[in-house]
Amino acid sequence: MPSGGGYGQGVVLHPADPLTVLAHGIGSQHDLPISPFYAFAGAFTALFVSFLALGLLWSASRFRGDRSGLALPARLQRVADAPATRNALRGLGLAGALAVLLYLLLGPDDPARNPAPGAVYVLLWVGLVPASLLFGPAWRLLSPLRALHRLLTPLWHPTPRPLPARLGQWPAAAGLFAFTWLELVSPDPASTTTLLIALTGYAAVQLLLAARFGERWFADGDAFEAYSALLAGLSPLGRRSDGRVVLRNPFHGLDATPEQPGLVATVCVLLGSTAYDGFSDNPSWINAIQTSPLGRTPAATLGLLGSITLVAVLYCLCAAVTRLVCGPHPGPLTAFAHSLVPIALGYLVAHYFSLLVAEGPRTVIMAFGTDNDPQPLPPLGPGALAALQVIAVVTGHVLGVIAAHDRSVRLFPPAKAVAGQLPLLALMITYTVGGLSLLLN
């Protein structure tokens, strides 16, 4: 759900409609007052300087994954891990899910007067970004699916079956694609009926699979939990391999991202759907899907699939060239997939910042029954917003270069480590050009 352009996409909005800002996320992104020349020049300079500096000054791996971090006081960890704390958080998540369900069942089918669409598309999907960055895998603690699973398990006493290792994060990738399709492609994503069917269907499938495989299913099978956990790798709060809650360099947490099947697909869905949202409000694309002989929804679906596929193909080509340059490696695809996470984060910040701070409070106020909820106002002026978006995209790519370099010097001999990163650098430049073009074109 990149710029919020999909939320309300199937709703006819008027200029005075408070959902106009929400429907277009970052607003008039194609008229942002910043010179493309300076944006691209700054991005290329940042990437090349960081790449050269790393090649000259960073010759040994410095990130230690889940073996690093300064342990927090034992008393604080006891409070964090206490059953009362965990139950309170699960209860909070379950109460929020019940409130959304009631609004979908009993509230008006109008996103300007019903907070349920905003709760799903803004507070949940977008809000998970800062929540996961600040507190770690927040959805794991708040998930109403985990709470329901624990409440229902005593009723049937299931015997969990082992999860197939090859499954990995593929279910999460499929779930993320389904959600972004709902938000960006479906004819009426803000309809209460659409959301009710989608959310209850998703919950039913998740609970049935958790009944078969046990609660561990949610870690990689629930799209929202996997999404939150990926972003939580960049949180300063984490857990060491010994179970202690620690403060850490976020790069250590990123380095601990599990290399498992489906990881590349999950990150590529995030990046590709963001890219699709970036051009989905382009007049040429809107005209193309509206006049397509396939129909609007099939054409838009192909566009979303094509965007995700392009991101994935570019990454796979990069991994293949890296393997040719550096020699065989057992997992060339997953070895560097973690370096795409900060890039995805940069795009999420660039596309979602104004949506969250403008529509988040309005959704909360609406949920508490205030009739005179305020019109969403831009959190920053056009120039400041443009600068934030460019900085977010470029910073995400620079962090990706650093993460990839550290992994490269760990995996490959010194003579090949830097050369092996040239394909990754080319990939970062390609993604940067694409991302900035969508923002500034």
Side-chain angles (χ1 to χ4, degrees):
M1 178 192 160
S3 73
Y7 177 18
Q9 205 169 43
V11 183
V12 178
L13 297 172
H14 304 284
D17 195 322
L19 263 290
T20 300
V21 174
L22 184 54
H24 297 287
I26 61 173
S28 54
Q29 64 181 18
H30 300 297
D31 298 315
L32 295 177
I34 189 169
S35 167
F37 172 80
Y38 290 114
F40 286 118
F44 293 153
T45 300
L47 288 173
F48 277 115
V49 168
S50 60
F51 176 78
L52 293 174
L54 291 168
L56 293 173
L57 304 174
W58 196 309
S59 58
S61 176
R62 303 183 184 185
F63 303 146
R64 296 181 291 122
D66 59 7
R67 302 188 306 276
S68 67
L70 176 65
L72 294 179
R75 180 178 298 180
L76 187 60
Q77 173 147 352
R78 285 196 296 270
V79 172
D81 291 340
T85 303
R86 298 303 179 96
N87 290 334
L89 291 172
R90 293 190 190 103
L92 179 63
L94 197 56
L98 180 60
V100 170
L101 179 62
L102 290 175
Y103 276 116
L104 290 175
L105 288 171
L106 306 175
D109 192 9
D110 178 2
R113 295 185 296 122
N114 191 328
V120 174
Y121 292 120
V122 180
L123 298 183
L124 170 59
W125 185 247
V126 185
L128 272 180
V129 176
S132 302
L133 290 176
L134 290 173
F135 304 112
W139 193 243
R140 185 178 301 166
L141 302 175
L142 294 170
S143 172
L145 295 175
R146 282 185 179 263
L148 283 172
H149 174 74
R150 293 198 173 193
L151 290 173
L152 296 174
T153 296
L155 300 179
W156 58 62
H157 302 288
T159 302
R161 301 184 183 184
L163 271 169
R166 64 181 180 277
L167 200 60
Q169 285 196 349
W170 282 107
L176 285 172
F177 174 78
F179 184 84
T180 54
W181 182 92
L182 174 70
E183 196 271 338
L184 297 172
V185 175
S186 63
D188 199 1
S191 161
T192 54
T193 302
T194 300
L195 276 173
L196 188 62
I197 293 173
L199 294 179
T200 53
Y202 180 79
V205 170
Q206 289 289 315
L207 291 172
L208 287 172
L209 289 168
R212 179 180 178 87
F213 296 111
E215 189 172 344
R216 62 185 178 277
W217 162 263
F218 295 114
D220 295 317
D222 178 13
F224 300 101
E225 189 162 322
Y227 165 65
S228 174
L230 273 179
L231 297 174
L234 286 164
S235 171
L237 281 177
R239 283 188 185 270
R240 278 196 320 231
S241 53
D242 61 3
R244 290 299 301 270
V245 178
V246 297
L247 283 175
R248 64 188 180 188
N249 179 338
F251 277 112
H252 292 297
L254 182 63
D255 188 66
T257 302
E259 297 181 34
Q260 56 183 331
L263 173 61
V264 174
T266 301
V267 181
C268 287
V269 168
L270 287 176
L271 286 171
S273 60
T274 304
Y276 177 78
D277 193 19
F279 67 79
S280 63
D281 64 345
N282 185 284
S284 299
W285 176 250
I286 293 173
N287 181 66
I289 61 174
Q290 288 179 343
T291 58
S292 170
L294 297 175
R296 178 203 168 275
T297 300
T301 301
L302 289 176
L304 177 60
L305 279 170
S307 180
I308 294 170
T309 301
L310 178 61
V311 170
V313 167
L314 289 174
Y315 177 75
C316 292
L317 287 174
C318 170
V321 175
T322 298
R323 187 168 186 172
L324 287 175
V325 173
C326 297
H329 183 269
L333 283 177
T334 56
F336 294 96
H338 71 300
S339 66
L340 300 183
V341 175
I343 299 174
L345 174 61
Y347 289 150
L348 290 168
V349 172
H351 286 276
Y352 286 156
F353 172 77
S354 61
L355 178 65
L356 178 62
V357 298
E359 283 299 327
R362 197 182 74 85
T363 299
V364 173
I365 292 171
M366 195 192 313
F368 281 96
T370 302
D371 292 329
N372 299 318
D373 52 294
Q375 297 284 339
L377 297 176
L380 297 173
L385 179 58
L388 172 67
Q389 291 175 319
V390 172
I391 290 171
V393 170
V394 174
T395 301
H397 285 84
V398 171
L399 297 181
V401 168
I402 295 172
H405 177 84
D406 188 86
R407 183 63 57 88
S408 183
V409 297
R410 180 190 306 169
L411 296 177
F412 304 121
K416 295 183 177 181
V418 175
Q421 290 178 70
L422 290 174
L424 287 166
L425 178 63
L427 179 71
M428 301 294 182
I429 292 173
T430 303
Y431 284 167
T432 303
V433 170
L436 292 180
S437 297
L438 292 174
L439 284 173
L440 303 172
N441 182 16

